Amino acid sequence: MPREDFIAVDHFSFFYGAKQALFDIHMDIPERQVTALIGPSGCGKSTLLRNMNRMNDLIDGVRHAGDIRLNGSSLYDPKIEVISLRKRVGMVFQKYNPFAKTIYENVVFSLRVAGRNGRRELDEVVERSLRSAALWEEVKDRLHESAFGLSGGQQQRLCIARAIANQPEILLMDEPCAALDPTATLKIESLIRDLKEQFTIVIVTHNMEQATRCSDRTAFLYMGRLIEYGSTRQIFETPRQEETEAYISGRFS
Amino acid sequence: MSIPPQQAPDPKRFEVSKGTLLFDRLMTQVIRCGGIAVILAVFGIFLFIVKEIVPLFSGAEVRPGEVREQTGERPQVLGVDEWGERPFLYSGRDRITFISATDGQREEVEIPGLKDKVITATAYDPVNRRVALGLDDGSVGSFIVAYQTEFADDGSRTVKPEITLEPWFQVSVGEGAVKALAYGDGGAARVLVVAREKGLAVLRLAQKRALVGKPKLALAGTDDLTSQVNSEILGVAASQNGQAVLVADASGEVRYFQSDAGKVSLIEVFRPFGEEPPVRMDFLFGGVSVAMTRQGGEQKIFSLFRPEGSEIRVFGETKSFDPLGSGTPVFAPNLRNKSFLTGAGGRLTLRHLTSGATRWEGEAPFEPVLATFDGKSEHFFIAAEDGRIQGYRLDDPHPEAGWRAFFGKVWYEGGSGPVYQWQSTGGTDDFEPKLSLIPLIVGSLKGTFYALMFSVPIALLAAIFSASFLPHDMKRVVKPAMEIMASLPSVVLGFLAGIWLAPMVEDKVPSILLLCLSLPVSALLVGVLWCRLPMKSRRLFEGGREWLLLLPVLGVVAMVAWSLGPLLEKALFVYRDPGGREIADFRLWWPQATGLPFDQRNSMVVGFMMGFAVIPVIFTIAEDSLSNVPKTLTAAAAALGASRWQVVRSIIIPVASPGIFSALMIGFGRAVGETMIVVMATGNTPVTSWNIFSGMRTLSANIAVELPEAAPGSTHYRTLFLGALVLFMLTFTLNSMAEILRQRLREKNKIV
């Protein structure tokens, strides 16, 4: 039975120094579904996403209030190492960012840093991850070439393969198609629909059609506040809030 | 809403204003000029250095003059005035012939008092232009050819010869005519070596000062050496100062007698050519080396040196030259430097003792039997059997230069073997300059090596820490502080190193050794313990503030290590003096244990201080390149569960490696070229040794120390420029290689 509150954002507020970026966000994200975060630029959707694996810790002068729980355990539990936490959560960034390494080494990076170096295990992981990311057929003959030889869309799928190599529970995607052309975008979208069989996916997107095409739930954020959260169909067909309607109908962006 | 009436668009709206265009073009030209000027300036400096060096590597220039007609007599002595204008020939009679080198005019001058004497042997000392004479009755005497130079009102110069006869001495030893003689003029104490048909004697002459009139030369004693030589005497030679006397006999043996404090004693018997005797023994300028030539032209140099463990200087073979060929060998020592003219059978070569180089080679128009140099080393003359003479103009400003002298091992006069040595100037004019650049190159590399050994780990680790671990607010303080450190004048650092640090650490070496060992180890131990601490207490110092915990630990460890130093010294570094007493002192222990010297101003001190000059340079550049690694990469690695150190190791360092590499290279360049610190803190001894507890002299310090006192245009001066070029080439090649490597690294770790 999939859990309804797989990611539980519990009255979460977030500050960059003196500036408050998130105001008392409260939402439950269900297991093995795609949840889209939409909203105009600067509304805090990326901030919320990046808090789900504490990537914002890398920035100086941040603080938070409230809590986020992954599968019941708090992100801010002082007994938990932030490193082991991040291993439960894969992340795909807006701009594809493979390392200056071979395709193979890119995929197995998360295993290498965990000290898992068994040749057979790594080979299996590479094939499985690249197949999941729908990239295997295209790159299987040049696994040991530089990742920079791939096209933009292929590089982004490589990043997805890299993010899922260690089989995390959650996959966070921060506008994964923003730097891609329409064909590559469609490929990634269909990949997202396939990946939700295995992962709980949270995706930040500017593209509302993308949200309708590949998400099950949609949350609309505006000015750091969660305005409306529901099934994608409900949000786009019968928005309950005025701002939501105004946004999805394109009256402001 | 009303639409404003349509106006005709301004036709000038697409034009660019004249001022903008003018300024744009002006700035383009200004920038172009500036850029080209900089490139030209650098190139000009390089050209200037090369221009100063080129004369070092060109040989001697020799222009022959005209052959002057024959006198018909076989000359025994050929001499010349210091201007090279009026050479003279003497053939053992009562007349002497002067020939003008400019117009060939001949003048015969009578020598008073020689009318009815039979001269059986002559010897010539070109320095005093003294012709020594031996007679058939066994008496010896000499006359001096002097030239009076008169300057007319129009500045023209006339040279007038003047002959002064010196007293005669009857040799009381042996019998028969004088066969060979040699005159050594040491000023107050002189020797006359006389070989008669039977008997060998050394006459010691003393210059006695009188109250009125000229000082008188008198016989101070005669030493009979007849019994010391077994076979027939073929030749004798005396050094310029009269202290060394050489006697060659028919068995091939050469005996070295030393005349010292009124006593002549046999020091050494040696065989320069085995069974065969030398046909010529000629002392070179300085009187320390003698050139032995045998029939067939084989030529060897024997120099006085002190063999290891001996107090007495003996002659040893230091160099051998290519054979001169068949014919009668001629020889003339240069009176200004260690070069000499030699040859046989019509071929002439100008050779140099120190470098062993052939400065010039040429063919004489006749087969010469005599040769001589003028006092200024600007001319030399040769004379043929039939009395023809020819003058040559010589232009050889840098006879002691050459590849071998600068970069090869050379056996210098007085040394006990070939060495690399730098000693550009000495106390006397006949000093042999030692111009090997090897000790200076080694010194430069040594200083650089120890400085980098100290600074590279510190600077790189600090850069990594600051770029990837230190919180932003602290980094904002640390980085400018380091940059200020880079601007510390190196003369201040050098002063501190020489006056404060060197005396302070001199007796604290064991403490420093302990520090170098204990600080890194304790830092690692703290790291291990840190991992064992519960999360809760670690939280207190998280986020790059862990060093606050490390600092007091390091402070305590440093204090403990410092105070434990003397104990370590007592335990390990105990010197046993010849009396059997034990002294715990590293300074005494090190020379005893390793055989290497311990100096107060040593490479360790320089390493520390130069390290301080280099650390900020490496730190700043390395930190910049580490900080500039795109955040997307580090974020991606962090999101994949890499720890901070794993991110640094597997992502940041590879991407930043070209920048780190150039940081190291710039640090290297700074250390190699650093001058003030090494001038003040190394002692400037040009030793070729990698011993950390001895000083050194670097190429740059050498230039700083010696250039002010080098005469412009001299060999010394040009050699300093050669040092500058070597320094330039050293950094240039290393930087070029580093740049190629850096490009490779950048290509490999390129980010899209």
Side-chain angles (χ1 to χ4, degrees):
Chain A
M1 179 66 196
R3 199 170 161 149
E4 263 306 301
D5 58 347
F6 196 75
I7 304 173
V9 182
D10 185 4
H11 297 287
F12 189 77
S13 299
F14 190 79
F15 304 84
Y16 290 110
K19 184 177 170 283
Q20 186 166 5
L22 294 176
F23 295 84
D24 197 42
I25 309 279
H26 191 85
M27 63 192 281
D28 289 336
I29 294 169
E31 191 174 2
R32 283 190 215 145
Q33 292 207 7
V34 178
T35 302
L37 304 180
I38 62 168
S41 296
C43 71
K45 53 191 190 301
S46 280
T47 303
L48 179 60
L49 185 86
R50 293 166 65 87
N51 265 309
M52 291 175 186
N53 65 345
R54 289 186 53 184
M55 285 303 282
N56 283 332
D57 284 15
L58 300 175
I59 301 163
D60 282 306
V62 294
R63 63 196 169 85
H64 71 278
D67 197 8
I68 299 177
R69 285 184 298 276
L70 299 186
N71 204 1
S73 59
S74 167
L75 279 185
Y76 295 95
D77 185 338
K79 285 196 283 295
I80 289 180
E81 278 277 6
V82 74
I83 296 166
S84 61
L85 176 112
R86 290 197 186 120
K87 287 182 181 172
R88 297 172 61 183
V89 185
M91 187 156 185
V92 176
F93 295 81
Q94 184 172 350
K95 178 82 171 90
Y96 42 88
N97 53 359
F99 302 135
K101 296 172 189 288
T102 61
I103 294 169
Y104 187 94
E105 284 301 320
N106 262 286
V107 176
V108 300
F109 183 84
S110 56
L111 281 79
R112 291 250 191 237
V113 297
R116 283 152 62 190
N117 286 312
R119 186 79 212 171
R120 191 178 301 164
E121 186 192 5
L122 296 188
D123 286 347
E124 279 170 19
V125 166
V126 167
E127 181 168 352
R128 191 194 64 226
S129 309
L130 287 172
R131 277 190 197 285
S132 302
L135 195 59
W136 174 253
E137 292 302 322
E138 290 159 66
V139 301
K140 65 180 176 192
D141 299 324
R142 45 174 173 151
L143 290 176
H144 295 284
E145 286 170 31
S146 168
F148 297 139
L150 301 176
S151 73
Q154 285 174 325
Q155 289 193 31
Q156 188 63 303
R157 275 180 282 150
L158 176 64
C159 291
I160 293 172
R162 185 175 70 184
I164 61 177
N166 200 28
Q167 291 178 295
E169 296 165 326
I170 297 161
L171 193 58
L172 305 177
M173 300 177 128
D174 190 357
E175 298 186 46
C177 305
L180 301 180
D181 63 59
T183 328
T185 302
L186 284 177
K187 269 199 179 143
I188 301 275
E189 282 174 7
S190 80
L191 180 59
I192 290 169
R193 285 192 294 273
D194 295 342
L195 286 174
K196 76 173 182 187
E197 304 291 322
Q198 301 168 58
F199 307 102
T200 303
I201 296 174
V202 184
I203 176 170
V204 164
T205 180
H206 264 304
N207 183 334
M208 272 166 293
E209 287 175 18
Q210 187 172 65
T212 55
R213 278 198 296 269
C214 59
S215 71
D216 306 303
R217 300 271 189 111
T218 297
F220 172 63
L221 280 86
Y222 184 56
M223 308 269 282
R225 288 185 167 77
L226 179 64
I227 304 297
E228 193 169 351
Y229 176 47
S231 77
T232 301
R233 170 175 287 230
Q234 177 257 310
I235 293 283
F236 282 95
E237 287 177 3
T238 54
R240 298 199 184 98
Q241 302 294 326
E242 213 172 301
E243 290 102 325
T244 315
E245 199 191 345
Y247 179 68
I248 59 177
S249 58
R251 261 184 274 143
F252 60 80
S253 64
Chain B
M1 207 159 73
S2 66
I3 296 162
Q6 195 79 36
Q7 280 182 344
D10 184 359
K12 285 185 179 163
R13 69 192 188 282
F14 300 134
E15 281 180 14
V16 185
S17 88
K18 280 233 171 72
T20 310
L21 278 179
L22 200 72
F23 192 72
D24 191 77
R25 277 174 204 154
L26 183 78
M27 284 321 287
T28 310
Q29 292 310 321
V30 165
I31 289 165
R32 183 174 295 159
C33 286
I36 290 173
V38 167
I39 293 168
L40 282 181
V42 172
F43 198 66
I45 292 171
F46 181 72
L47 272 187
F48 175 74
I49 294 177
V50 169
K51 197 196 102 214
E52 290 295 325
I53 288 163
V54 163
L56 287 179
F57 295 100
S58 49
E61 202 183 304
V62 172
R63 285 194 309 280
E66 265 173 62
V67 179
R68 298 302 172 193
E69 58 193 292
Q70 57 194 61
T71 58
E73 288 175 333
R74 187 193 158 102
Q76 290 183 15
V77 171
L78 167 67
V80 69
D81 63 303
E82 66 172 324
W83 306 102
E85 281 180 8
R86 304 207 72 186
F88 67 84
L89 286 174
Y90 177 66
S91 21
R93 306 200 310 162
D94 59 349
R95 284 175 291 107
I96 183 162
T97 312
F98 289 90
I99 301 147
S100 167
T102 40
D103 54 14
Q105 226 167 23
R106 212 184 301 174
E107 186 191 350
E108 301 241 317
V109 177
E110 192 102 358
I111 308 167
L114 279 188
K115 194 86 188 153
D116 29 57
K117 303 227 150 111
V118 182
I119 292 152
T120 51
T122 53
Y124 181 58
D125 157 23
V127 175
N128 302 298
R129 280 190 296 278
R130 173 184 284 114
V131 180
L133 306 167
L135 305 185
D136 61 340
D137 62 356
S139 57
V140 287
S142 55
F143 64 86
I144 286 178
V145 181
Y147 290 87
Q148 298 299 327
T149 314
E150 282 169 13
F151 291 93
D153 289 340
D154 60 350
S156 68
R157 188 176 58 208
T158 45
V159 178
K160 256 201 191 146
E162 200 181 85
I163 290 155
T164 324
L165 201 68
E166 290 182 311
W168 292 93
F169 301 101
Q170 178 62 43
V171 181
S172 56
V173 172
E175 56 188 63
V178 174
K179 270 196 327 187
L181 77 169
Y183 200 115
D185 184 353
R190 308 174 181 184
V191 293
L192 243 171
V193 190
V194 185
R196 299 179 70 174
E197 267 164 12
K198 272 190 185 137
L200 171 69
V202 172
L203 276 63
R204 281 180 277 112
L205 310 179
Q207 183 95 278
K208 292 246 169 73
R209 287 179 192 283
L211 276 175
V212 261
K214 284 185 181 169
K216 265 195 174 154
L217 200 62
L219 186 64
T222 307
D223 292 86
D224 185 355
L225 304 179
T226 315
S227 60
Q228 312 244 26
V229 187
N230 311 326
S231 30
E232 194 199 344
I233 294 165
L234 294 182
V236 293
S239 67
Q240 185 63 43
N241 58 17
Q243 285 177 356
V245 172
L246 292 176
V247 178
D249 67 22
S251 70
E253 282 179 347
V254 173
R255 281 176 167 69
Y256 163 42
F257 296 94
Q258 194 189 31
S259 162
D260 192 23
K263 213 176 75 198
V264 176
S265 40
L266 178 69
I267 303 291
E268 186 194 8
V269 181
F270 59 102
R271 290 176 174 274
F273 301 108
E275 295 293 309
E276 210 179 317
V279 291
R280 288 205 71 114
M281 295 190 294
D282 301 270
F283 273 95
L284 289 164
F285 178 64
V288 182
S289 297
V290 64
M292 301 275 184
T293 317
R294 80 162 169 190
Q295 201 61 45
E298 199 184 329
Q299 203 162 49
K300 285 180 177 174
I301 304 287
F302 284 76
S303 294
L304 280 173
F305 77 104
R306 204 170 270 124
E308 206 112 355
S310 167
E311 285 298 303
I312 304 158
R313 298 208 297 171
V314 297
F315 277 100
E317 183 186 333
T318 57
K319 281 178 192 92
S320 70
F321 286 94
D322 292 339
L324 298 168
S326 58
T328 318
V330 291
F331 192 95
N334 196 315
L335 308 182
R336 278 288 176 95
N337 56 51
K338 309 269 175 187
S339 65
F340 54 91
L341 178 75
T342 188
R347 278 206 69 74
L348 293 172
T349 54
L350 187 64
R351 289 172 168 174
H352 194 269
L353 165 69
T354 310
S355 60
T358 299
R359 305 289 305 160
W360 171 79
E361 259 181 314
E363 202 77 40
F366 46 73
E367 190 176 334
V369 291
L370 292 168
T372 193
F373 273 95
D374 73 352
K376 290 182 177 298
S377 176
E378 283 172 352
H379 300 85
F380 61 83
F381 288 84
I382 53 169
E385 210 167 2
D386 56 8
R388 275 181 293 169
I389 67 164
Q390 186 182 20
Y392 290 86
R393 220 193 124 70
L394 169 67
D395 185 16
D396 191 13
H398 309 295
E400 61 271 64
W403 288 107
R404 179 105 182 270
F406 296 137
F407 301 106
K409 263 194 173 168
V410 175
W411 192 332
Y412 297 103
E413 287 181 335
S416 52
V419 285
Y420 298 118
Q421 198 176 348
W422 172 271
Q423 192 185 352
S424 55
T425 43
T428 57
D429 285 344
D430 57 10
F431 168 79
E432 186 182 30
K434 300 166 182 67
L435 298 175
S436 176
L437 292 178
I438 300 293
L440 308 176
I441 295 170
V442 168
S444 275
L445 294 177
K446 178 184 173 184
T448 308
F449 173 76
Y450 286 119
L452 291 185
M453 218 173 74
F454 172 66
S455 59
V456 165
I458 293 181
L460 283 190
L461 292 177
I464 291 168
F465 179 64
S466 162
S468 312
F469 295 89
L470 201 61
H472 226 274
D473 45 347
M474 286 185 210
K475 189 174 149 181
R476 274 210 306 269
V477 179
V478 167
K479 215 170 167 224
M482 286 296 252
E483 274 152 21
I484 288 170
M485 201 174 133
S487 64
L488 252 179
S490 61
V491 65
V492 174
L493 290 175
F495 180 76
L496 283 177
I499 303 298
W500 171 72
L501 186 67
M504 195 191 71
V505 302
E506 186 190 4
D507 54 353
K508 303 279 194 310
V509 175
S511 297
I512 289 167
L513 285 179
L514 266 185
L515 272 187
C516 291
L517 201 75
S518 59
L519 284 184
V521 169
S522 58
L524 290 176
L525 277 179
V526 168
V528 170
L529 287 176
W530 175 256
C531 293
R532 299 278 159 84
L533 281 180
M535 271 308 278
K536 262 216 175 116
S537 30
R538 278 155 74 177
R539 275 281 143 79
L540 289 172
F541 290 100
E542 224 184 19
R545 279 168 192 84
E546 296 91 341
W547 62 271
L548 288 171
L549 201 74
L550 185 64
L551 219 53
V553 176
L554 289 186
V556 169
V557 168
M559 269 164 59
V560 170
W562 191 257
S563 50
L564 280 181
L567 288 178
L568 183 76
E569 195 167 36
K570 281 208 182 82
L572 290 178
F573 307 121
V574 178
Y575 165 76
R576 206 180 293 273
D577 75 357
R581 266 188 316 148
E582 291 188 340
I583 306 164
D585 192 335
F586 187 87
R587 287 171 291 175
L588 298 171
W589 176 86
W590 175 261
Q592 197 183 43
T594 61
L596 300 167
F598 182 98
D599 299 328
Q600 187 203 57
R601 303 205 171 174
N602 55 43
S603 311
M604 187 180 72
V605 174
V606 173
F608 281 145
M609 264 310 165
M610 202 139 83
F612 269 102
V614 173
I615 284 172
V617 177
I618 299 181
F619 171 85
T620 311
I621 301 169
E623 213 271 352
D624 279 340
S625 71
L626 287 164
S627 298
N628 287 340
V629 171
K631 286 280 170 286
T632 56
L633 289 185
T634 52
L640 288 168
S643 69
R644 281 187 297 177
W645 172 239
Q646 282 171 330
V647 174
V648 168
R649 209 195 56 207
S650 57
I651 305 298
I652 296 184
I653 290 181
V655 173
S657 56
I660 294 174
F661 206 71
S662 27
L664 292 182
M665 276 305 124
I666 289 168
F668 175 88
R670 172 80 207 263
V672 161
E674 177 53 56
T675 310
M676 276 329 284
I677 295 175
V678 285
V679 164
M680 300 179 88
T682 60
N684 289 314
T685 38
V687 292
T688 314
S689 149
W690 290 95
N691 174 14
I692 185 170
F693 294 116
S694 73
M696 68 213 156
R697 179 185 286 203
T698 65
L699 285 163
S700 55
N702 190 50
I703 294 168
V705 169
E706 296 198 359
L707 198 58
E709 60 197 52
S714 66
T715 309
H716 180 202
Y717 177 84
R718 295 191 194 282
T719 308
L720 292 176
F721 272 93
L722 179 67
L725 185 74
V726 168
L727 191 60
F728 178 78
M729 294 311 284
L730 200 73
T731 43
F732 183 79
T733 26
L734 258 155
N735 276 334
S736 308
M737 267 161 37
E739 184 60 27
I740 292 167
L741 242 153
R742 206 168 70 86
Q743 294 294 349
R744 290 249 174 93
L745 277 176
R746 177 178 283 173
E747 202 57 39
K748 207 179 125 210
N749 294 303
K750 188 174 62 177
I751 316 150
V752 260

